[in-house]
Amino acid sequence: MGKLSTHVLDITKGKPGVGVRVALYAVNDAGNRTLLKAAVTNQDGRCDAPLLEGAEMKVGKYALVFAAGDYFAEQGAVVSSPRFVDEVVLAFGIADAAQNYHVPLVVSPWAYSTYRGS
């Protein structure tokens, strides 16, 4: 079976985003979310364990929600009010539960990006 993992890179510092709150939701066909897991990134900007693995890993739609705005505020970054980047929601699908899905967030107070890794 595959696994789902993530990490956060703070591009204002060129370093891992330490202490970012992350929530993983399953998303049904109506768009409703069910919280599956919550975590906080470690010193490497990663969660201590995969967000999904083994029997938890299922084909479907998901959303990762990163508390990026809170992270930058806690870092003392000067941000607008309201924040331009606040909660970052990455909506994605898992098409093959046997594969590894790595969904990172590269973020600043003004922009973000993601990609599928493995």
Side-chain angles (χ1 to χ4, degrees):
M1 294 296 291
K3 66 181 178 183
L4 171 66
S5 59
T6 189
H7 78 271
V8 178
L9 177 62
D10 175 345
I11 60 174
T12 65
K13 296 179 179 180
K15 295 185 177 184
V18 177
V20 179
R21 288 186 313 281
V22 180
L24 172 66
Y25 295 87
V27 181
N28 68 18
D29 290 337
N32 298 315
R33 295 181 189 169
T34 301
L35 180 65
L36 299 178
K37 202 166 280 186
V40 177
T41 57
N42 61 23
Q43 292 299 108
D44 195 31
R46 299 174 185 275
C47 298
D48 288 330
L51 295 169
L52 296 174
E53 66 181 329
E56 298 173 318
M57 191 75 172
K58 296 179 178 149
V59 170
K61 295 179 184 179
Y62 296 87
L64 277 169
V65 180
F66 298 84
D70 290 346
Y71 163 78
F72 284 112
E74 292 163 6
Q75 298 298 306
V78 177
V79 296
S80 61
S81 181
R83 298 169 181 161
F84 182 72
V85 170
D86 195 13
E87 282 192 333
V88 175
V89 179
L90 302 180
F92 64 98
I94 292 177
D96 183 348
Q99 293 188 18
N100 291 335
Y101 285 74
H102 183 67
V103 184
L105 176 67
V106 180
V107 65
S108 82
W110 310 108
Y112 63 89
S113 179
T114 192
Y115 56 92
R116 181 186 169 194
S118 60

